Amino acid sequence: MAGSEEEPRYSRQLYVLGGGARRLPGSAVLVSGLRGTGAQVATALVLAGTGRVVLHDCGAACSADRAHQFLLGESDLGQNRAKASQQALAELNPRVVVEAHTGELSEAFLASFQVVVLTESPLEEQLRVGDFCHAQGICFIVADTKGLAGQLFCDFGERFVVDDPAEGDPVSAAVEHISQGSPGVVTYMGTENSHGHLFRDGDLVTFSGVQGMTELNKQEPIPVHVLDAFRLEISDTSSFSPYRCGGLISQVQQPQECSHADAERVLELARSLGAQQGPLDEDIVRAFASVSAGDLCPVAAVVGALAAQEVLKAITGKFLPLDQWLYFDALECLALAGTAQLTETDCAPRGSRYDGQIAVFGANFQEKLGHQKYLVVGAGAIGCELLKNFAMMGLAAGPDGELIITDMDTVALSNLHRQLLYRSADISEPKSVVAAAAVQRMNPDVRVTAHQNQVGPATEIIYKDNFFRHLDGVASALDTIEARTYLERRCLRCRTPLLDSGTEGTQGNVLAMVPSLTKLLGPASTPRDGTFPLCTLRHFPRTIQHTLQWAREEFEGLFQLPAEQVNKLMEDPAFLEQQPPGKVLEQLWDSLRERPQDWRDCVRWARRRWQSCYHDAIAQLLHIYPPEHETSPGVPFWAGDRSCPHPLTFNPDNDTHLDYVLAAAHLFAQVHRVPPCRDRGAIKAVLRDVVLPPFAPQEGLQIPLTEEPTEEAQVPKDHRQLTELTQDLVHWRQELVGDEDTRAPLMEPIHFEKDNDVHIDFITAASNLRAENYGISPANWLTSKRIAGRIVPAIITTTAAVAGLACLEVYKLVWGCQDLSCYRNSNISLSACLLLRVQPPPAPTYRYGGREWSCWDRLEMRAVGADGQAMTVQEVLDWLQRTYGWTVTMLLCGDIVLYDSKADAETRARQQAQRLSESLEDARMPQQQDLELLYMCEGEDAEAEDTRPPLLCSLP
């Protein structure tokens, strides 16, 4: 069942913050200073669901604030910043109390908060407030930005307890063997997705489901010593019973205590460090001083997001806090060619909203920003943050600028905790349209256009090569590897800069792909498709991931596929004739035979299904392979990666048993368009009258033991049975269809939806019952939803930081920087307080056809003949011979062979005379004006296929 009524809104965040997130609604945080950094901190906290957020600022909003303070509108100028920001923040999340305070920060006022955050604060105030907070046990954070630099300071007191220091689920593994000895040695199996060590020295672990050495199942957490990737030493097991089979070893997370020094002690340490460091680096001081008057939205986004994450750590006790100090800068931006020539006049205030940016990069650069043409692909969490930053920066705010947003999705409730451009009233509206309107409210000068298209092969008629070549850059905010890879390929082909950003939980990265300079991006990670071998899912599950995937397939097999098949039968009289004899006909017969008349029939069906899955199927498996079965003399069958299951006995008073029947009956009723009933008492009454026949094992059934995805062997039906089955189906169809006016309603196929509570109710109960069959630890509702729904954990702080880091690279691209050393690829882990920014790898080179090529190089030709029409294949061959001296032996367009030197003379002549436009028609690509042709040349070596510059032809 859902954990709380807040779960639909915060589900992606709950996967990051865990149980500590329950403390957020009861917490109170002060954010002092409501310029760019403070606005970012406050926004993240309100979106995250912090109970009470109080804004403090004594200053009035000015025009220059609007280059980084995205909460302010034109009408707010001259108003108090805190009061002006209050309404915009309150609209973000009605569940959060947002207040404004414009008085002094007295001790009586500060005492009501759990966390105090100071931004834009003088040192004297930081010391005074910090001392008070330290003495009172109030977590204290300072966040400041100056131009291209920023800093963060945390003081969580002398004994701050972190309840859950690590990100992600505790690791677990199936046990293969445990020795009797002192120490005992555990041999375990790696999981499908594991690489290298699962455990570390000192980890605490527990055991469950161990057969034989059952003493381990009852022990408190014990420490381990890692021997290698699959073996651990544990405590003395010499007096325990011999290990027989099965079991799971699971890591246990233990709370940690951390201690922070008070402000005076930090000051002493800083002075001592200064004495040890030696001479001052004057270049850094000079660089910092030259930009300290500036205010940049990307820097405020990064530092503000990091500060907000520290606030969430302080409230939830999730993740280790920052060890007091963090310094951040992007001073590499000052190494851009031409920045050294900037004068005071270039950077002087103009009275515009961009003065803070002009102070760093100059007025001419601001004008360049306005001319940019950018495509943002994806208007989700990262996309919203990018668009907010672009609006503040003035990207595409000039007369010929252009900012295009495309996203096929609509706004959902679960988006609202991290996608700041959307409100509750926007739910079900197109994301790109709502985001574009929000951008224009933030900066009316930005020329923004909304598209609702996927950027992929199906839309190449819209997003042609000329479209990409027209752009100054592409910002990717996509959430699938396939989509990101496609976009990379298009940007490579058109030599368009690409910034690729991604997050998962508190982890995030930004990769810059700059034409001629950098290596291509490559896949960010291995796709997690959730597939497992069929025999593992059906008969030998070892982990909760296996049982959840089994439950997903069970859902589809019960509530989607049968309904789709029946609908096809009803719509098409010839459907039966098109089906081979066997499984589909049997499934159709079962579906029509089991049609319910009312919800009571649905309950009875669910009870029979429970018996079939959790008792009969297991009893059948044990009939074929009894617990004592041996694969060979002395070698038990149920060992290693096979855990011996046990059948369950139905109990209507068992919550999980009843949850299954309730959810299954509800879904079965929905499929058959029967009004469902959710009354647990009424369902129990029906269950009391259900009598099922005793289990009788089926003889002759074979079960595959390999990981090959083969179907289970079925006892074949004879011809007479198949004939009767088909006749029944024909009869039922005639009965159901009848007269056109009295046709019975068709069944309703149900497609699994991760945000539908009933769907997750079924998946959770179905999975946990199967886990009980096999002695696997169950998963709660929320964890089951994440794994079965393949939900990527997400939180506003990570997306805001990643978008800020990406926009720092935009500055370099707008400047036209051709110095690789100025660019940065970034990786962050907010849970581990890690921020890594490194120079991207250079573009690799290779040799082909007697010369060196870069991965960005290509052969480009305007494939227009002397007559103004598309070139013939022979003209293309002549061009390659004339330009590069290459004799082509084969030329292809996709799978179409345009020329093959080994073909007979007549075929070659026909190929050579054909125009490229005619080839497009053959390849069913008549609309395309840009072709990428594959060629092979005389004298190529075997490795040339992967190191050949592409040939791009532009047709008339």
Side-chain angles (χ1 to χ4, degrees), residues 216-459:
L216 280 174
N217 295 332
K218 304 168 186 175
Q219 283 204 337
E220 293 296 312
I222 54 176
V224 300
H225 170 63
V226 175
L227 296 177
D228 55 40
F230 301 104
R231 292 188 307 148
L232 303 170
E233 284 183 348
I234 58 172
S235 54
D236 186 352
T237 60
S238 56
S239 62
F240 291 174
S241 309
Y243 173 80
R244 188 161 64 82
C245 64
L248 196 70
I249 179 172
S250 303
Q251 180 190 47
V252 177
Q253 299 284 5
Q254 293 287 88
Q256 292 186 32
E257 187 178 281
C258 60
S259 177
H260 286 167
D262 62 21
E264 290 301 321
R265 177 63 181 144
V266 170
L267 188 58
E268 289 175 25
L269 290 170
R271 285 171 178 156
S272 66
L273 284 173
Q276 298 167 16
Q277 290 292 321
L280 192 65
D281 189 330
E282 295 182 0
D283 289 339
I284 289 181
V285 175
R286 189 176 292 110
F288 174 78
S290 68
V291 298
S292 61
D295 289 304
L296 301 177
C297 176
V299 178
V302 173
V303 175
L306 298 180
Q309 184 66 53
E310 295 306 305
V311 175
L312 296 178
K313 291 178 184 179
I315 297 170
T316 64
K318 176 71 172 175
F319 309 133
L320 290 169
L322 177 71
D323 197 4
Q324 303 245 251
W325 283 103
L326 170 77
Y327 170 78
F328 168 82
D329 73 54
L331 293 177
E332 76 278 355
C333 292
L334 295 183
L336 299 172
T339 51
Q341 281 73 49
L342 289 173
T343 65
E344 281 189 39
T345 303
D346 295 327
C347 301
R350 264 80 173 157
S352 83
R353 66 182 295 163
Y354 307 116
D355 277 353
Q357 204 160 246
I358 290 170
V360 179
F361 295 115
N364 289 340
F365 177 78
Q366 189 60 52
E367 192 173 334
K368 263 189 172 182
L369 273 167
H371 295 322
Q372 295 298 295
K373 296 174 176 61
Y374 259 72
L375 170 67
V376 178
V377 187
I382 297 175
C384 282
E385 291 293 325
L386 287 170
L387 292 168
K388 173 259 291 179
N389 292 346
F390 287 169
M392 297 296 97
M393 293 160 62
L395 189 83
D400 55 352
E402 188 175 19
L403 180 59
I404 299 169
I405 312 163
T406 188
D407 195 307
M408 296 175 65
D409 206 358
T410 56
V411 180
L413 177 60
S414 61
N415 301 149
L416 300 184
H417 83 276
R418 70 193 186 282
Q419 300 181 15
L420 68 92
L421 301 185
Y422 310 129
R423 307 291 183 269
S424 297
D426 300 321
I427 290 175
S428 299
E429 295 297 319
K431 280 188 174 180
S432 59
V433 174
V434 177
V439 166
Q440 290 225 290
R441 286 195 298 273
M442 288 181 174
N443 188 342
D445 293 332
V446 174
R447 297 175 175 267
V448 59
T449 306
H451 292 185
Q452 297 175 50
N453 306 315
Q454 182 182 30
V455 179
T459 57

